[in-house]
């Protein structure tokens, strides 16, 4: 979306109204990703010709560092890692080759904060939620999420078999994350959780004994224990609850004119098996991790 589009569209609507033109400014269609998605008369989904931030380019945001297994070697542009691969798959579906994709560093919390965006979409393990939809819009989900607990081997936290057993522990999570929401809303611990700006700080707190356990999404927990904190283990995962399972979605500007097109691309990749294949390639199977109840 060009940054000057909003006032120009409003002016165009006023002009059309004054001239009583037959076509008018069509109302925008709703889409699974949120309100004000691409609508009739506003934006077609012609391949490679969307109303993007930069003409002929697709600008994708994510945080730095870009963590594995979502990205590899802190290089979003490599196409390696689940979210990097998803970004390029969506780009291809929209008609943009790898050379037409440019990456922009966007801190995690900034991606879904109110205000105009400098990216076409952002992906950074950001879960779709009603609260976030008040500031941004989302595509349909590209990954079904489970939250997990990680603790040092042999510790009291490592022996937790239930949610109740976690309540007396010092827990940590990244600020603004659904992991932190699970601590506050599901675990409801006796003491306030430790909140960290970055996941790197969360992992360091676990290694240094500042917290008893940390919460992250399950693939991140697997990566932490296999490559970063090798004396830690995944203690358990939380069950999906309610009709609306937690999903990661692509984040778009609240006023984005391409949300419908991006959602259609994600839906096509889910339908043709691309998302499942990428998940199998880049993310670890979770079957062996016990569910905490």
């Amino acid at each position: 979306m060009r940054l000057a589009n909003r006032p120009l569209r409003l002016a165009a609507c006023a002009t059309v109204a004054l001239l009583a033109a037959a076509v008018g400014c069509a109302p925008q269609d709703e889409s699974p990703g949120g309100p004000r998605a691409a609508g009739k008369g506003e934006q077609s989904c012609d391949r490679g010709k969307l109303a993007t931030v930069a003409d002929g380019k697709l600008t994708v945001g994510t945080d730095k560092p870009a963590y594995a297994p979502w990205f590899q070697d802190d290089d979003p542009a490599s196409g390696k890692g689940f979210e990097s691969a998803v970004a390029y798959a969506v780009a291809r579906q929209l008609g943009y080759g790898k050379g037409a994709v440019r990456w922009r560093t966007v801190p995690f919390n900034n991606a879904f904060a109110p205000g105009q965006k400098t990216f076409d979409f952002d992906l950074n393990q950001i879960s779709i939620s009603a609260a976030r939809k008040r500031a941004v819009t989302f595509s349909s989900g590209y990954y079904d999420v489970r939250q997990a607990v990680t603790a040092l081997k042999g510790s009291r936290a490592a022996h937790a078999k239930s949610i109740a057993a976690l309540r007396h522990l010092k827990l940590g999570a990244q600020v603004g994350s659904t992991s932190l929401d699970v601590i506050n809303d599901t675990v409801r611990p006796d003491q306030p959780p430790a909140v960290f700006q970055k996941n790197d700080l969360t992992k360091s707190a676990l290694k240094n004994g500042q917290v008893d356990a940390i919460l992250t999404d399950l693939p991140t927990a697997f990566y932490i224990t296999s490559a970063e904190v090798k004396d830690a283990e995944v203690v358990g995962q939380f069950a999906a609850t309610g009709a609306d399972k937690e999903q990661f979605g692509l984040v778009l500007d609240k006023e984005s004119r391409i949300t419908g097109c991006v959602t259609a691309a994600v839906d096509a990749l889910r339908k043709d098996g691309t998302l499942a294949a990428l998940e199998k390639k880049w993310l670890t199977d979770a079957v062996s991790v016990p569910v905490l109840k």
Side-chain angles (χ1 to χ4, degrees):
M1 182 189 67
R2 296 175 183 83
L3 299 185
N5 274 348
R6 295 182 201 186
L8 291 176
R9 275 211 320 270
L10 291 174
C13 287
T15 302
V16 170
L18 288 172
L19 295 175
V23 176
C25 288
Q28 292 177 317
D29 295 336
E30 296 294 327
S31 82
R36 299 185 67 79
K40 294 179 181 178
E42 285 289 335
Q43 170 64 45
S44 74
C45 294
D46 291 345
R47 290 178 59 80
K49 297 180 179 179
L50 303 185
T52 51
V53 169
D55 286 338
K57 302 287 184 181
L58 193 67
T59 304
V60 182
T62 198
D63 203 353
K64 186 172 183 63
Y67 298 109
W70 311 103
F71 303 91
Q72 278 198 356
D73 301 321
D74 192 19
D75 182 12
S78 70
K80 297 178 180 179
F82 180 70
E83 288 192 327
S84 182
V86 166
Y88 284 114
V90 171
R92 286 193 300 272
Q93 196 72 25
L94 294 172
Y96 295 87
K98 190 171 183 180
V101 176
R102 66 180 192 176
W103 290 85
R104 176 160 285 162
T105 298
V106 180
F108 179 78
N109 278 342
N110 290 8
F112 50 86
Q116 203 168 45
K117 304 305 178 192
T118 58
F119 53 76
D120 294 307
F121 65 77
D122 182 284
L123 73 173
N124 188 25
Q125 308 105 67
I126 298 174
S127 296
I128 301 168
S129 73
R132 290 171 179 170
K133 281 185 178 181
R134 290 195 286 269
V136 295
T137 189
F138 285 90
S139 71
S140 53
Y142 62 87
Y143 178 69
D144 298 341
V145 189
R146 290 285 189 96
Q147 296 296 320
V149 179
T150 300
L152 296 180
K153 294 176 182 178
S155 67
R156 179 174 59 141
H159 294 96
K161 305 296 183 186
S162 66
I163 293 173
L166 299 173
R167 290 192 177 125
H168 308 300
L169 303 176
K170 183 67 174 179
L171 304 175
Q174 184 177 4
V175 66
S177 65
T178 49
S179 302
L180 184 58
D181 291 340
V182 168
I183 293 176
N184 291 325
D185 301 336
T186 301
V187 180
R188 299 190 297 276
D190 296 339
Q191 53 187 312
V195 182
F196 302 94
Q197 193 67 33
K198 299 271 188 179
N199 254 339
D200 274 349
L201 300 176
T202 308
K203 290 176 282 189
S204 295
L206 178 66
K207 289 175 67 174
N208 298 334
Q210 295 170 259
V211 294
D212 297 311
I214 60 174
L215 270 70
T216 64
D217 59 79
L218 187 56
T220 297
F222 276 125
Y223 186 78
I224 288 171
T225 56
S226 65
E228 297 182 310
V229 189
K230 294 188 177 181
D231 57 344
E233 62 180 299
V234 182
V235 177
Q237 61 180 314
F238 292 85
T241 57
D244 297 326
K245 57 191 173 187
E246 183 181 355
Q247 292 183 311
F248 292 156
L250 305 179
V251 180
L252 297 96
D253 189 294
K254 188 72 170 174
E255 302 293 330
S256 175
R257 296 164 59 198
I258 68 169
T259 303
C261 304
V262 173
T263 284
V266 173
D267 290 344
L269 295 172
R270 185 178 289 278
K271 185 175 181 180
D272 70 13
T274 298
L275 292 180
L278 293 177
E279 183 177 335
K280 183 176 181 180
K281 179 176 181 178
W282 295 108
L283 303 181
T284 307
D285 191 353
V287 173
S288 61
V289 177
V291 175
L292 300 167
K293 298 179 179 178

